Amino acid sequence: MSRKAPAVPALLLTLALSACTGGGGVDGTPGGAGLRDPYFPKAGNGGYDVTHYALTLAYDPAVRTLTGTADITARATQDLSAFDLDLKGLGVQGVTVQGAGARFGRAGQELTVRPHDEIQQGKTFHIRVRYSGTPETITDADGSKEGWLYTKDGALALGEPVGSMAWFPGNHHPSDKAAYDITVTVPQGLTAVSNGELVAESTRQGRTAFHWRTAEPMASYLATLGIGRYEVHRGTVGEHRLPFYTAVDPVSTEDSRAVLSKLPEVMDWLELNFGPYPFSSTGVIVEQKRDATYALETQNRPVFPGAPDTTTFVHELAHQWYGDSVTPKTWRDMWLNEGFATYAEWLYAEDHGGPSAQQRFQEVYEHGEEEEFEDLWDFPPGRPGSAAVISANPVYQRGAMVLHKIRQTVGDDAFYDLVQGWAAAHRHGNASTADFTAYVQQQAPDKDFSGIWRDWLYGEGRPDHP
């Protein structure tokens, strides 16, 4: 569900803006506070697109205080007199735009910034936000925890769907992807792990700084940060010598050893089936079981709460193609993430001595009303209905069933061409369910998919025939 900020009278917001530093009149119009996502209407902001985040952070688990400077590069999509950033909970000490002090105000998750001078449409501009505080752990509509999770020796930041605003200001909607540089300073002896590649590490006066860089576009919900006493392993996998970086909590090391040794084999299998890996490094973060209640496909480096099983390992790595590289336009399109990753589980089992995808499809269909899948027919994957159910069984299992029906319709060769082509056509971009159905029909114009869309993707209840 959307987290609506409490209403703030216009006069109070005006006074708040006036009380902050900066001045000067502008003639543009304010950017929108929210992108009207079907389930999170206040997520993201209008009037600009972010191209790069440079986050400089310091965190000490002993005092649970995060201090940060966010340098944000963006391009205006309209003439701007003001714009919003999403930031939840943390205090803001100052904002500049193009190096000049800017007025700002807070209302719920919205940080409203009024620059000294109008920003013209098409102009690239720079925002700096200085902030600090104790980051929040956010409870989602389905009861799961995200945002900033406190661990025994540090912290873990998880962002799906809206938790990233708990630790840095930004345009927090999956449709606005950007490159990232994240530099984190922690007490010596701790490791800070984030997305992308580690480009620098230095220790001075008892504190160590880790600089991570993600050059490929990334949605903010896929940004992660793990701080703790990890066991770290680095190397390369595959014929292209793709760099990997794994960080494992010592409590989980022994239990993780067998499945993490499968990283080269799983990556080879994924590339064979889904096409070239879309990023410049891979790896994982493995925490203790109590540190989170779910795995998450954070870009380059999925996060697992304790040692993953092979099925979950394949699922989260498959997301690097479907969800991370090809990212949904809105949260209503969540099945394009989870349906693909779940079907990857079925395909991997089929290729490694397990049940075939057809057997798995039949099992899910026949047992869809039993305890494991009791909500399977509650809603169609193409229309989840609310924020509370975007991670429920219909999105995962029925999403996979849609893909299996497509495979049955076009045959194996055409199906693998189709899913590889989909990943290539929208590489590092965003796509909607309508984009996907149009793509499928374009690739197989002689086939009739209307029944699949009607009964399996958008249909209410259990289809009459499997």
Side-chain angles (χ1 to χ4, degrees):
M1 72 181 197
S2 62
R3 298 178 176 85
K4 293 184 179 179
V8 177
L11 177 59
L12 293 181
L13 182 57
T14 300
L15 290 172
L17 290 166
S18 299
C20 301
T21 59
V26 293
D27 299 321
T29 57
L35 293 177
R36 299 182 180 179
D37 185 273
Y39 303 142
F40 300 94
K42 296 294 287 183
N45 301 283
Y48 65 93
D49 289 317
V50 176
T51 58
H52 184 260
Y53 291 92
L55 307 178
T56 304
L57 310 174
Y59 184 71
D60 187 342
V63 294
R64 291 191 168 187
T65 297
L66 179 71
T67 302
T69 298
D71 288 292
I72 303 170
T73 303
R75 182 182 61 83
T77 58
Q78 66 179 66
D79 290 343
L80 286 172
S81 62
F83 58 88
D84 281 24
L85 298 167
D86 300 313
L87 181 65
K88 186 173 178 63
L90 296 166
V92 175
Q93 283 74 57
V95 181
T96 63
V97 179
Q98 297 295 79
R103 293 178 290 166
F104 62 90
R106 304 292 297 276
Q109 71 185 47
E110 300 298 320
L111 168 61
T112 302
V113 179
R114 191 174 299 277
H116 185 277
D117 298 307
E118 176 181 343
I119 302 169
Q120 297 179 344
Q121 182 177 357
K123 183 178 179 61
T124 296
F125 63 103
H126 174 259
I127 311 153
R128 171 169 286 183
V129 181
R130 293 184 295 105
Y131 61 100
S132 64
T134 301
E136 292 189 15
T137 300
I138 297 170
T139 301
D140 290 331
D142 64 1
S144 60
K145 304 291 186 181
E146 60 163 328
W148 195 266
L149 308 182
Y150 293 94
T151 65
K152 183 177 180 180
D153 56 359
L156 175 64
L158 298 178
E160 185 178 339
V162 295
S164 49
M165 70 178 71
W167 59 286
F168 68 96
N171 202 21
H172 292 298
H173 188 267
S175 61
D176 191 0
K177 302 170 76 169
Y180 282 72
D181 279 271
I182 301 177
T183 301
V184 188
T185 300
V186 294
Q188 187 175 359
L190 298 181
T191 299
V193 187
S194 190
N195 312 85
E197 291 76 61
L198 181 64
V199 296
E201 177 183 341
S202 61
T203 299
R204 182 179 179 185
Q205 296 180 343
R207 298 180 66 79
T208 304
F210 298 84
H211 178 184
W212 293 88
R213 175 169 295 154
T214 304
E216 297 92 355
M218 179 168 70
S220 63
Y221 83 89
L222 297 169
T224 192
L225 176 58
I227 298 170
R229 298 185 183 280
Y230 300 110
E231 292 188 11
V232 172
H233 296 277
R234 306 174 69 171
T236 61
V237 296
E239 61 178 298
H240 302 299
R241 300 186 65 79
L242 180 73
F244 76 82
Y245 186 107
T246 63
V248 183
D249 188 291
V251 172
S252 302
T253 297
E254 189 58 37
D255 291 342
S256 301
R257 197 180 310 279
V259 72
L260 295 189
S261 71
K262 296 181 180 180
L263 180 63
E265 180 267 316
V266 170
M267 290 294 294
D268 284 346
W269 181 86
L270 289 166
E271 286 201 296
L272 177 66
N273 286 275
F274 302 140
Y277 181 66
F279 301 115
S280 51
S281 67
T282 186
V284 299
I285 301 172
V286 181
E287 294 283 352
Q288 296 186 34
K289 287 183 179 180
R290 64 185 179 186
D291 292 337
T293 58
Y294 54 90
L296 188 63
E297 63 271 19
T298 45
Q299 192 160 305
N300 306 95
R301 198 152 289 109
V303 172
F304 300 95
D309 57 31
T310 299
T311 298
T312 307
F313 193 58
V314 170
H315 182 106
E316 303 305 337
L317 287 171
H319 270 310
Q320 303 303 305
W321 282 257
Y322 307 109
D324 294 12
S325 177
V326 184
T327 303
K329 282 184 179 177
T330 77
W331 288 110
R332 181 178 285 161
D333 304 306
M334 183 77 156
W335 83 275
L336 289 172
N337 292 15
E338 301 303 346
F340 269 91
T342 301
Y343 199 57
E345 298 175 21
W346 298 9
L347 294 174
Y348 186 86
E350 181 175 85
D351 288 350
H352 292 82
S356 68
Q358 175 59 33
Q359 290 172 319
R360 182 60 175 162
F361 176 95
Q362 196 70 32
E363 177 190 1
V364 173
Y365 180 82
E366 292 176 357
H367 299 279
E369 296 176 354
E370 298 180 6
E371 184 176 357
E372 182 181 0
F373 303 123
E374 61 182 356
D375 63 343
L376 185 66
W377 312 114
D378 284 1
F379 60 86
R383 275 195 295 264
S386 77
V389 295
I390 59 173
S391 294
N393 268 318
V395 174
Y396 287 66
Q397 303 296 332
R398 283 191 67 179
M401 295 171 95
V402 170
L403 295 173
H404 190 68
K405 297 299 290 186
I406 294 171
R407 180 185 176 190
Q408 288 179 324
T409 301
V410 302
D412 280 6
D413 290 345
F415 176 76
Y416 284 104
D417 287 345
L418 189 152
V419 294
Q420 289 186 24
W422 172 250
H426 294 278
R427 182 182 175 95
H428 299 151
N430 295 86
S432 68
T433 300
D435 293 330
F436 179 72
T437 56
Y439 176 83
V440 171
Q441 292 175 295
Q442 181 184 37
Q443 296 304 306
D446 59 327
K447 304 295 184 181
D448 182 9
F449 299 97
S450 59
I452 299 175
W453 310 148
R454 182 189 65 242
D455 298 334
W456 295 93
L457 182 58
Y458 291 118
E460 300 288 343
R462 185 178 190 250
D464 290 336
H465 301 287

